[in-house]
Amino acid sequence: MLFGAIESGGTKFVCGIGNENGEILERVSFPTTTPDETMGQVIEFFKNKQMDAMGVGSFGPVDPNKDSPTYGYITSTPKTKWRNFNFIGELKKHFDMPIGFDTDVNAAALGETEWGAAKGLDSCVYMTVGTGVGGGAIVEGKMLHGMLHPEMGHILIKRHPEDHFTGNCPYHNDCLEGMAAGPAIEKRWGKKGIELQEVDKVWEIEAYYLAQVVVNLVYTISPKRIILGGGVMKQKQLFPMIRKNVKELLNGYVETKEILVDIDNYIVSPGLGDNAGLCGAIALAKRAYQG
């Protein structure tokens, strides 16, 4: 079986063809511009390709409710040209096959449970920390939805006592994304994160904020593994700092072996690396094909 996969990001689209084992056989990427231009490139890539189904993991917010009249839409995104865009409807004009659809981070979480760092587990959270911050969750083998879908990047957090940055989120200023996403780091310090690798205070503050979302996830969803990906998390010094902060913030309240003795294998980087989102879209396609 062959599946088409689309990882739709606010900065770039990644399209590929993969098989039922999550192997990517072909891939291409291009910048996210206007819907007309970007979707034209998507359709051109998949045209005449052999596929049994397609999967889409998209930046959001999106409508993943199949009973909703706006199912398959990108909805209230800050990217105004994409607001209320009928993503699945546009694909259905050109491809007559099952199409799976969810957020990019829910897709990545699914991919990691199928083939990556959470393989063999029925629950995990995947968070991406990059241009934005977002999170997706698998709970008892299912992608987590509710009234909408998880928006973990906008949780409210306690401010680091030495951080006087006002925040960078257009909706909430100092929510998690407003304080910890790549653009927030750059705006706070005047340089991109990659230029600040040796400045310990940058990562001390970053780890403090990211540890808070991990602690909140432990308390609310209790996932069996937490996976942190995205461009900011390529700063490998963050992982030990986040784990240390998590233990301190939990303060002995959660006494599981995952936290007390095996936290290095509990808070981890993506097993699929930069392919988590695209492999997740393959997993969405596979589920759509299986009905």
Side-chain angles (χ1 to χ4, degrees), residues 57-96:
S58 177
F59 69 92
V62 302
D63 186 349
N65 179 3
K66 291 183 178 180
D67 296 325
S68 168
T70 55
Y71 167 70
Y73 279 59
I74 296 172
T75 58
S76 56
T77 175
K79 294 183 74 67
T80 54
K81 291 177 181 176
W82 289 85
R83 195 167 289 169
N84 300 316
F85 176 67
N86 186 356
F87 202 140
I88 296 304
E90 183 62 29
L91 290 174
K92 286 283 191 182
K93 292 177 186 176
H94 304 273
F95 306 105
D96 183 18

Side-chain angles (χ1 to χ4, degrees), residues 155-169:
I155 67 164
L156 304 181
I157 52 175
K158 291 195 296 186
R159 180 176 290 276
H160 189 284
E162 297 178 44
D163 187 13
H164 305 293
F165 178 57
T166 56
N168 195 49
C169 174

Side-chain angles (χ1 to χ4, degrees), residues 42-64:
V42 169
I43 291 156
E44 184 63 29
F45 172 76
F46 287 114
K47 188 173 64 177
N48 302 322
K49 293 278 197 303
Q50 182 183 347
M51 298 180 290
D52 296 289
M54 297 180 75
V56 178
S58 177
F59 69 92
V62 302
D63 186 349

Side-chain angles (χ1 to χ4, degrees), residues 25 59 72 86 120 136 145 160 184 195 204 239 281:
L25 308 175
F59 69 92
N86 186 356
H145 299 131
H160 189 284
E195 302 173 74
E204 176 190 319
F239 279 95

Side-chain angles (χ1 to χ4, degrees), residues 162-289:
E162 297 178 44
D163 187 13
H164 305 293
F165 178 57
T166 56
N168 195 49
C169 174
Y171 293 94
H172 317 114
N173 290 325
D174 59 355
C175 64
L176 178 66
E177 181 172 290
M179 300 302 279
I185 295 172
E186 183 177 358
K187 193 169 181 180
R188 179 191 287 109
W189 299 100
K191 294 181 179 179
K192 292 183 181 295
I194 198 166
E195 302 173 74
L196 296 162
Q197 288 175 315
E198 307 304 320
V199 185
D200 291 344
K201 184 59 68 177
V202 173
W203 309 111
E204 176 190 319
I205 290 173
E206 183 74 7
Y208 180 74
Y209 293 137
L210 295 178
Q212 288 185 59
V213 71
V214 170
V215 166
N216 283 322
L217 292 168
V218 169
Y219 285 144
T220 54
I221 299 177
S222 197
K224 293 177 180 174
R225 189 150 295 150
I226 294 177
I227 302 162
L228 303 177
V232 171
M233 292 310 304
K234 292 185 186 298
Q235 301 286 337
K236 295 300 183 185
Q237 71 271 31
L238 274 172
F239 279 95
M241 297 169 79
I242 291 168
R243 293 171 186 134
K244 178 176 180 289
N245 274 283
V246 166
K247 282 189 171 184
E248 290 174 357
L249 290 167
L250 288 172
N251 199 28
Y253 188 73
V254 176
E255 295 185 336
T256 64
K257 69 176 180 63
E258 289 87 351
I259 299 297
L260 297 178
V261 300
D262 202 25
I263 197 167
D264 288 3
N265 292 313
Y266 181 67
I267 303 168
V268 301
S269 58
L272 299 170
D274 292 337
N275 288 325
L278 196 61
C279 287
I282 293 170
L284 286 173
K286 184 178 175 181
R287 285 197 172 190
Y289 178 77

